[in-house]
Amino acid sequence: MNFKKYILDKKYLILFYIILMTFISLVIYLDITVKVSINNILYINFVSIVLLLFYLIGEYLVYKRYYEDINYILKNRKEDIINCLPNPNNYVHSLYNELLINIYNQQNEKIDKLHEEKKENLEFMTSWVHEIKTPISVSRLIIENSMSKSKEEILDSLEEEIDKIENYVEQALYYSRLDDFSKDYLINEINIEKVVKEVIKKHAKTFINKRIKINIEDINMSVNTDKKWLIFIINQIIDNSLKYTSEDGYIKINIEKDGKEKRLVIEDNGIGIKKEDISRIFDRGFTGYNGRKSYKSTGMGLYLSKRLAIKLGHDITVESKFKEYTKVIIHFPKLIDYFTVTKS
């Protein structure tokens, strides 16, 4: 900052000084009780102006280095701006420095978060591409070895692999929509029984092929939710149950109610979840002992289900005992204050 810019920056102080000295001079001049000559009044004003100039020049010299350092940082586009900030000369400068440091830290947190999300997205896509290649390769093998099999058997096998591909594609689609959830939901009064039966029908062939029994109790219950997102959530839970339940096992679905909420309970007698894994099964990309040892998994199904459930005002919890059972519970609070509910 040059001296001219500094003086312009102090224009209000100078204007106030001129008005003040003019007022004082007029009071002295017009006061009939005290006779002061015009020369003395002019002398007083001259001395005051000199003192003001000394003050302005002194303050300019004190702040000049600070402003030069700031200009140097701006002109040279220093990357590490925060560490280059000059020492403040007054309380206002210290506030500005503190403000810049806070903004810098906030931006760094956002950048770190974006980098972490980018890394996780890349890991998910890498895992997803790897997983989706498996049913595609199996489909090719089915076609290549189709000479010794009947047409119905081939079609059944291909349909099973296509269902797997469809599930992986659906996961990727819903994963991409997580951040834009607010633009893509419609809350209505939905009948749980209809939704569950729609999902079960989708997995009918897997139930038959693995001879897994399905026990649906009286689940004729209505909840306020988005049907499309709820179907995805239940589908991921049923898909997991089928994946980790051996042949001749069972899946039981029932509802529970109390004064605070309604609950949809999906229970299987599959391999269960280890105690140390239960607290982490909703983490992004976490596959746990079961996913690493016995089954290939992206670890995204329950993560997406949990995120979507919370966004809908619901929740998901899990109870399990390793090698005995797994119980997944979808919680529907009776009051969802932040949604406008329209009955369909």
Side-chain angles (χ1 to χ4, degrees), residues 224-235:
N224 296 315
T225 188
D226 180 277
K227 182 179 180 181
K228 178 179 63 176
W229 297 88
L230 182 61
I231 286 175
F232 175 80
I233 292 169
I234 295 175
N235 182 66

Side-chain angles (χ1 to χ4, degrees), residues 141-143 145-154 157:
L141 288 173
I142 292 170
I143 294 171
N145 300 320
S146 60
M147 298 298 294
S148 59
K149 298 179 181 178
S150 65
K151 186 182 293 184
E152 289 76 13
E153 188 179 357
I154 295 167
S157 299

Side-chain angles (χ1 to χ4, degrees), residues 60-156:
Y60 170 72
L61 293 174
V62 170
Y63 291 159
K64 182 181 178 183
R65 179 61 184 272
Y66 180 83
Y67 295 131
E68 285 177 348
D69 289 343
I70 294 292
N71 283 325
Y72 176 79
I73 293 171
L74 292 173
K75 288 178 182 178
N76 291 276
R77 297 180 179 274
K78 287 281 186 179
E79 291 183 3
D80 193 11
I81 291 178
I82 296 304
N83 292 326
C84 295
L85 285 176
N87 293 325
N89 290 317
N90 55 37
Y91 180 64
V92 174
H93 290 171
S94 65
L95 286 179
Y96 286 148
N97 281 12
E98 188 176 344
L99 178 63
L100 286 171
I101 291 170
N102 286 339
I103 293 172
Y104 178 82
N105 290 334
Q106 288 176 9
Q107 292 303 314
N108 273 347
E109 288 175 6
K110 290 179 181 179
I111 291 170
D112 290 342
K113 185 178 178 181
L114 287 173
H115 283 164
E116 187 63 27
E117 288 179 355
K118 183 180 178 182
K119 179 183 175 182
E120 289 173 346
N121 289 342
L122 180 61
E123 289 174 354
F124 168 69
M125 289 307 300
T126 303
S127 174
W128 183 84
V129 170
H130 176 73
E131 295 302 324
I132 204 170
K133 284 171 66 178
T134 302
I136 293 173
S137 300
V138 171
S139 299
R140 290 186 182 278
L141 288 173
I142 292 170
I143 294 171
E144 290 173 3
N145 300 320
S146 60
M147 298 298 294
S148 59
K149 298 179 181 178
S150 65
K151 186 182 293 184
E152 289 76 13
E153 188 179 357
I154 295 167
L155 290 175
D156 284 345

Side-chain angles (χ1 to χ4, degrees), residues 77 104 106 119 146 161 217 275 291 293 306 330:
R77 297 180 179 274
Y104 178 82
Q106 288 176 9
K119 179 183 175 182
S146 60
E161 298 307 316
E217 297 183 1
K275 186 177 181 179
K293 281 287 183 181
K306 179 80 168 182
I330 305 176

Side-chain angles (χ1 to χ4, degrees), residues 26-268:
L26 286 173
V27 170
I28 294 172
Y29 180 73
L30 296 175
D31 188 359
I32 58 175
T33 60
V34 180
K35 192 64 177 177
V36 181
S37 66
I38 294 177
N39 288 335
N40 286 337
I41 294 174
L42 293 174
Y43 177 74
I44 291 171
N45 278 273
F46 174 76
V47 172
S48 298
I49 289 172
V50 171
L51 291 175
L52 176 65
L53 285 174
F54 279 143
Y55 167 78
L56 292 174
I57 292 170
E59 186 180 63
Y60 170 72
L61 293 174
V62 170
Y63 291 159
K64 182 181 178 183
R65 179 61 184 272
Y66 180 83
Y67 295 131
E68 285 177 348
D69 289 343
I70 294 292
N71 283 325
Y72 176 79
I73 293 171
L74 292 173
K75 288 178 182 178
N76 291 276
R77 297 180 179 274
K78 287 281 186 179
E79 291 183 3
D80 193 11
I81 291 178
I82 296 304
N83 292 326
C84 295
L85 285 176
N87 293 325
N89 290 317
N90 55 37
Y91 180 64
V92 174
H93 290 171
S94 65
L95 286 179
Y96 286 148
N97 281 12
E98 188 176 344
L99 178 63
L100 286 171
I101 291 170
N102 286 339
I103 293 172
Y104 178 82
N105 290 334
Q106 288 176 9
Q107 292 303 314
N108 273 347
E109 288 175 6
K110 290 179 181 179
I111 291 170
D112 290 342
K113 185 178 178 181
L114 287 173
H115 283 164
E116 187 63 27
E117 288 179 355
K118 183 180 178 182
K119 179 183 175 182
E120 289 173 346
N121 289 342
L122 180 61
E123 289 174 354
F124 168 69
M125 289 307 300
T126 303
S127 174
W128 183 84
V129 170
H130 176 73
E131 295 302 324
I132 204 170
K133 284 171 66 178
T134 302
I136 293 173
S137 300
V138 171
S139 299
R140 290 186 182 278
L141 288 173
I142 292 170
I143 294 171
E144 290 173 3
N145 300 320
S146 60
M147 298 298 294
S148 59
K149 298 179 181 178
S150 65
K151 186 182 293 184
E152 289 76 13
E153 188 179 357
I154 295 167
L155 290 175
D156 284 345
S157 299
L158 285 174
E159 187 174 3
E160 186 178 345
E161 298 307 316
I162 290 171
D163 286 341
K164 292 178 183 177
I165 294 171
E166 185 180 15
N167 185 58
Y168 286 132
V169 171
E170 196 175 45
Q171 277 190 5
L173 182 62
Y174 278 80
Y175 180 78
S176 68
R177 288 178 178 176
L178 271 179
D179 293 333
D180 294 326
F181 173 82
S182 60
K183 302 176 185 176
D184 190 29
Y185 73 87
L186 178 63
I187 302 301
N188 289 303
E189 190 174 88
I190 303 299
N191 184 273
I192 286 290
E193 186 174 17
K194 291 180 180 178
V195 172
V196 169
K197 287 182 177 180
E198 186 175 334
V199 175
I200 295 299
K201 185 178 179 182
K202 183 178 179 181
H203 294 279
K205 288 193 175 180
T206 307
F207 276 99
I208 295 169
N209 291 338
K210 294 187 73 173
R211 299 190 299 277
I212 293 176
K213 297 176 183 178
I214 178 72
N215 179 14
I216 302 177
E217 297 183 1
D218 182 15
I219 57 172
N220 187 18
M221 175 180 74
S222 294
V223 294
N224 296 315
T225 188
D226 180 277
K227 182 179 180 181
K228 178 179 63 176
W229 297 88
L230 182 61
I231 286 175
F232 175 80
I233 292 169
I234 295 175
N235 182 66
Q236 294 303 310
I237 296 170
I238 295 294
D239 185 67
N240 269 6
S241 293
L242 289 169
K243 186 187 296 181
Y244 296 116
T245 301
S246 57
E247 293 184 358
D248 299 316
Y250 73 83
I251 294 175
K252 183 172 70 174
I253 303 174
N254 66 291
I255 59 172
E256 298 173 352
K257 299 179 184 179
D258 57 33
K260 295 181 179 180
E261 64 180 13
K262 302 173 182 178
R263 296 181 291 276
L264 177 66
V265 182
I266 302 171
E267 182 180 352
D268 65 66

